[in-house]
Amino acid sequence: MPLTSERPDYYAALGVARTAPHAVIKAAYRRLVGVHHPDRHPDDPKATGRLQILVEAFQVLGDERSRAAYDAGRVLDLPPIEPATPVEELLGKVVDQLFGVR
């Protein structure tokens, strides 16, 4: 089955080569999540969408089986990323402050 046009190019989203090893993919993901996290861009309504693409990309490329299926052009059935509730957002901010996430 071919890839659907609904899914972005996950390698491009993370800015890595198709031959990149897992460590490079993981490092790129962590760096980009820090840069594009919605907490850093509270006035940007597209920030959450960018973060969702990064999370999706790492879900696929960070797992050997999912990455092989993606590379083979098979459609992946990923679980949807649910938006956080206000309580979850608040809890996330508290945890971020406690553990020094920047």
Side-chain angles (χ1 to χ4, degrees):
M1 298 175 93
L3 287 172
T4 64
S5 60
E6 297 171 10
R7 301 268 185 211
D9 178 355
Y10 294 137
Y11 291 102
L14 293 176
V16 297
R18 291 194 171 284
T19 57
H22 178 74
V24 171
I25 291 170
K26 186 175 180 179
Y29 169 72
R30 287 185 170 187
R31 180 181 54 80
L32 290 170
V33 164
V35 170
H36 295 289
H37 198 280
D39 288 348
R40 288 183 167 237
H41 307 281
D43 298 329
D44 185 357
K46 295 182 181 181
T48 301
R50 286 193 304 267
L51 181 66
Q52 287 177 337
I53 290 171
L54 293 174
V55 169
E56 238 180 59
F58 188 68
Q59 276 183 314
V60 172
L61 301 181
D63 176 72
E64 259 184 62
R65 286 185 186 168
S66 295
R67 183 177 180 182
Y70 178 78
D71 288 344
R74 292 193 299 267
V75 174
L76 304 170
D77 187 24
L78 296 175
I81 299 170
E82 299 292 326
T85 65
V87 172
E88 291 169 332
E89 285 288 333
L90 178 62
L91 180 61
K93 289 179 182 181
V94 169
V95 170
D96 289 350
Q97 288 180 351
L98 288 174
F99 294 101
V101 175
R102 292 178 227 134

